[in-house]
Amino acid sequence: MSHPHPEYGPPPALRADGLRIIPLGGVGEIGRNMTVFEHAGRLLIVDCGVLFPEDFQPGVDLILPDFTAIRDRLNDIDALILTHAHEDHIGAVPYLLRERRDIPIIGTRLTLALLTAKLAEHRIKAVTQEIREEERHNYGPFECEFFAVNHSIPDAVAVAIRTDAGLVLHTGDFKMDQLPLDGRLTDLGGFARLGREGVDLLLSDSTNAEVPGFVTSEREIAPVLDGVFRDATRRIIVACFSSHVHRVQQVLEAAEAHGRSVCFVGRSMLRNMGVARDLGLLRVPPGLVVDLRDLDSLPDRNICLVSTGSQGEPLSALSRMANRDHQIRIETGDTVVLASSLIPGNENAVFRVINGLTRHGARVVHKGVAKVHTSGHAPAGELLYVLNATRPSNVMPVHGEWRHLRAHAKLAEATGVPADHVVLAEDGMVIDLLDGRARITGVVPCGYVYVDGAAVGDVGEPSLKDRRILGEEGFITITVVVDAAAGKVVVGPDMSARGFTDSRSTFDPVAKLVADALADAMRTGMNDTAALQQLVRRTVGRWVNENYRRRPMILPVVLEV
């Protein structure tokens, strides 16, 4: 699916003293984050993530950024910088490396460790460079400085990109928790130093731009979790993102305090927590974590499960528990904690899981009824701090849907950024920084690339439309054998359906209509089977619409003797 921008054409050639920014994902949507920077004939990429499908994209596993705009310039890429290890920032890296294996990948210790584990599943070994906050490194004509930021995963960074065209600050995902569990604060002082140097363009996280005030500290979650553990009489199941090391740490501490053993459920949870433990970022008391096979030997009151599935993903452990399709069977008295925020678009899936769990007797605790989670993204008050500290000449809100981008734009204007210096773009738009001004100068191809099983890009919008029709309306097949020379129907029409009706007699009235229409057409000289198939489709389609007000897929087969 390409985003139509009829007011823009292809961008002009970039001036030698200019910097070009091309968001290939993450602008106008939450997920699929990928931004390409071009200067002096070279490219730098920040993040390369995936978007997860919604209900209207049946059968799709992942949605990738569209690499079309850079596919013939892969050798010009000097580095891929990863701001942190969430899937919407690293999930598409294996697919980019399939096109060029030796792209240098830059990231912090945890980010690279989680990426390496992911790449191992794809049998890819990457060229990586570990960086830390407060370091500077050159990648071609790009000088990059890294800054610590606080987020819902450890080791996240922002990156300042210096070129001859100007200084750009890309915040990545961040918040400004003043009492973070790991003591790692967002480097607002570093941002202010950049502000004194002169930030020509700020690309900043917009996810919570509509939310007033300041973020709730992670430390306020622990007492609420402790209360949940204290009140629970049977098993506790905590569902959270498989990368949320801080939340899992709090669960481990609550479980230890209340005499419960912990079992990790879900492949990504096991993998990521193993990596975090090996790096010393997750402190696991000896003997606390047990294997799934050992649960049968423990009383229910001594069990705590940490699971994936907080977003209602259909194949996640928690969704399968809700559907009674998992070896862990939800029973009356179990407590399920959804320790995450709702990602826009996932609401229906999450509430479906909540209802399924509740139906089986579980008590479900989520953010709507208890403070069991706090967001990893800065609300409006904190975004204002960053805008005031950096004092950018130009602002481009990123990482958000349109409502978030516009809310962030208003915040920028409130701090004194002129309205015509706030760039509201979306995926595929080309933004050039020239002579201190950032402007949209064109568009590049930027569609959705769907991953369906092992196939990448084979499924497009026409296939998804057919899948939606099949899922919602079903299909009807009509097989008929004709003798075009004699102008008559020899066999049939034989009609059958799936997902439309359970009664074959439903089609008795239309079968005669089809036979008569074919006979009349052949008598007038129509003998092309393709044209006869179109006639059958129109005849059946008209009858279905008039009698049922439905639009199933109609598959006619006309054979000639």
Side-chain angles (χ1 to χ4, degrees):
M1 181 186 73
S2 295
H3 299 296
H5 302 295
E7 68 273 33
Y8 297 104
L14 179 63
R15 275 174 26 189
D17 61 344
L19 175 66
R20 175 162 288 174
I21 301 98
I22 309 174
L24 297 182
V27 183
E29 63 188 359
I30 293 181
R32 213 170 58 120
N33 297 282
M34 182 176 182
T35 308
V36 178
F37 296 85
E38 178 183 358
H39 178 64
R42 305 299 295 175
L43 303 179
L44 178 77
I45 300 175
V46 175
D47 290 328
C48 187
V50 297
L51 179 68
F52 292 102
E54 297 188 49
D55 291 344
F56 60 86
Q57 295 157 330
V60 174
D61 298 317
L62 298 170
I63 305 171
L64 307 180
D66 188 345
F67 303 144
T68 302
I70 60 171
R71 184 160 282 122
D72 61 350
R73 300 192 59 189
L74 294 172
N75 290 328
D76 296 336
I77 301 172
D78 286 316
L80 165 59
I81 294 172
L82 302 177
T83 59
H84 63 285
H86 279 152
E87 283 294 302
D88 60 334
H89 293 258
I90 71 168
V93 173
Y95 301 93
L96 181 61
L97 293 184
R98 289 181 185 180
E99 308 212 14
R100 181 188 155 196
R101 289 293 181 104
D102 63 343
I103 296 174
I105 300 178
I106 317 302
T108 57
R109 186 173 58 148
L110 178 64
T111 300
L112 292 182
L114 293 179
L115 175 68
T116 300
K118 170 181 288 294
L119 291 177
E121 297 179 357
H122 290 259
R123 299 179 182 176
I124 296 174
K125 184 172 177 59
V127 177
T128 61
Q129 178 192 348
E130 183 180 317
I131 53 90
R132 293 178 55 84
E133 61 263 28
E134 301 181 9
E135 292 183 351
R136 292 195 190 197
H137 298 275
N138 290 314
Y139 308 104
F142 306 93
E143 181 190 89
C144 298
E145 182 178 2
F146 300 95
F147 298 84
V149 294
N150 181 236
H151 188 40
S152 54
I153 186 173
D155 253 6
V157 291
V159 56
I161 303 169
R162 293 180 176 85
T163 69
D164 293 338
L167 169 61
V168 175
L169 173 60
H170 191 310
T171 67
D173 292 2
F174 79 99
K175 61 178 176 177
M176 296 202 302
D177 189 339
Q178 297 304 297
L179 295 170
L181 295 178
D182 59 3
R184 192 171 178 271
L185 295 163
T186 291
D187 189 359
L188 192 59
F191 288 177
R193 172 172 55 79
L194 292 177
R196 291 191 294 273
E197 180 181 339
V199 174
D200 294 288
L201 176 62
L202 172 67
L203 280 69
S204 183
D205 179 4
S206 306
T207 310
N208 277 346
E210 293 181 303
V211 180
F214 300 84
V215 75
T216 300
S217 174
E218 293 281 353
R219 293 183 186 271
E220 295 187 30
I221 306 302
V224 181
L225 282 176
D226 186 76
V228 171
F229 273 74
R230 185 176 57 250
D231 296 341
T233 58
R234 284 178 50 86
R235 295 176 300 182
I236 297 175
I237 302 165
V238 180
C240 65
F241 290 118
S242 62
S243 57
H244 204 327
V245 178
H246 296 150
R247 186 70 68 249
V248 173
Q249 184 68 65
Q250 290 174 314
V251 172
L252 293 179
E253 292 169 0
E256 183 184 31
H258 292 273
R260 289 179 180 262
S261 296
V262 175
C263 175
F264 294 129
V265 182
R267 184 168 54 88
S268 60
M269 183 68 72
L270 283 163
R271 180 191 67 199
N272 291 352
M273 291 308 112
V275 169
R277 178 171 51 190
D278 292 344
L279 295 179
L281 296 171
L282 183 70
R283 300 178 302 279
V284 182
L288 183 68
V289 175
V290 298
D291 192 89
L292 190 61
R293 292 169 296 187
D294 299 328
L295 293 184
D296 289 341
S297 63
L298 296 173
D300 287 341
R301 66 179 180 278
N302 296 130
I303 294 173
C304 173
L305 302 158
V306 181
S307 168
T308 56
S310 61
Q311 295 302 308
E313 303 94 320
L315 299 180
S316 67
L318 192 67
S319 291
R320 290 167 55 205
M321 291 179 206
N323 293 330
R324 287 292 175 98
D325 186 29
H326 196 278
Q327 66 187 92
I328 296 169
R329 308 281 288 182
I330 298 296
E331 305 291 347
T332 300
D334 288 341
T335 298
V336 178
V337 181
L338 297 181
S340 68
S341 296
L342 277 177
I343 294 177
N346 290 352
E347 294 88 350
N348 289 340
V350 172
F351 289 129
R352 203 159 38 237
V353 169
I354 291 175
N355 283 321
L357 296 167
T358 306
R359 178 187 177 197
H360 299 310
R363 173 197 176 209
V364 181
V365 182
H366 55 86
K367 189 180 178 182
V369 297
K371 195 181 294 184
V372 290
H373 180 70
T374 182
S375 176
H377 300 272
E382 296 176 6
L383 296 178
L384 288 170
Y385 264 100
V386 171
L387 286 161
N388 286 323
T390 57
R391 292 175 291 178
S393 301
N394 301 272
V395 173
M396 179 176 161
V398 296
H399 200 287
E401 298 175 345
W402 266 103
R403 58 195 176 98
H404 308 123
L405 303 182
R406 289 201 181 277
H408 200 168
K410 289 185 178 298
L411 295 176
E413 293 172 28
T415 63
V417 180
D420 60 350
H421 286 237
V422 179
V423 180
L424 281 171
E426 62 181 319
D427 299 340
M429 287 186 167
V430 176
I431 299 90
D432 287 350
L433 181 63
L434 298 166
D435 303 321
R437 284 292 304 275
R439 294 183 176 90
I440 298 171
T441 59
V443 294
V444 297
C446 189
Y448 281 174
V449 177
Y450 297 109
V451 178
D452 183 358
V456 179
D458 291 355
V459 175
E461 283 302 315
S463 294
L464 289 182
K465 181 180 179 181
D466 287 347
R467 290 181 181 184
R468 287 192 288 269
I469 292 172
L470 288 169
E472 295 168 5
E473 303 286 356
F475 70 91
I476 301 171
T477 61
I478 310 101
T479 304
V480 58
V481 180
V482 300
D483 183 343
K488 64 179 181 178
V489 175
V490 178
V491 178
D494 181 49
M495 304 182 65
S496 62
R498 291 290 185 272
F500 181 82
T501 180
D502 294 330
S503 174
R504 291 182 65 89
S505 63
T506 298
F507 299 113
D508 290 346
V510 74
K512 185 176 186 310
L513 293 177
V514 170
D516 291 345
L518 287 171
D520 291 344
M522 288 184 288
R523 277 196 295 271
T524 62
M526 182 186 292
N527 55 18
D528 178 64
T529 55
L532 294 173
Q533 286 181 169
Q534 288 298 325
L535 176 64
V536 173
R537 180 180 286 111
R538 288 195 301 270
T539 302
V540 176
R542 189 182 308 114
W543 177 82
V544 169
N545 183 56
E546 290 174 354
N547 290 275
Y548 293 94
R549 296 291 187 267
R550 291 164 65 181
R551 300 183 64 184
M553 184 174 290
I554 298 171
L555 306 173
V557 179
V558 176
L559 304 174
E560 187 175 359
V561 294

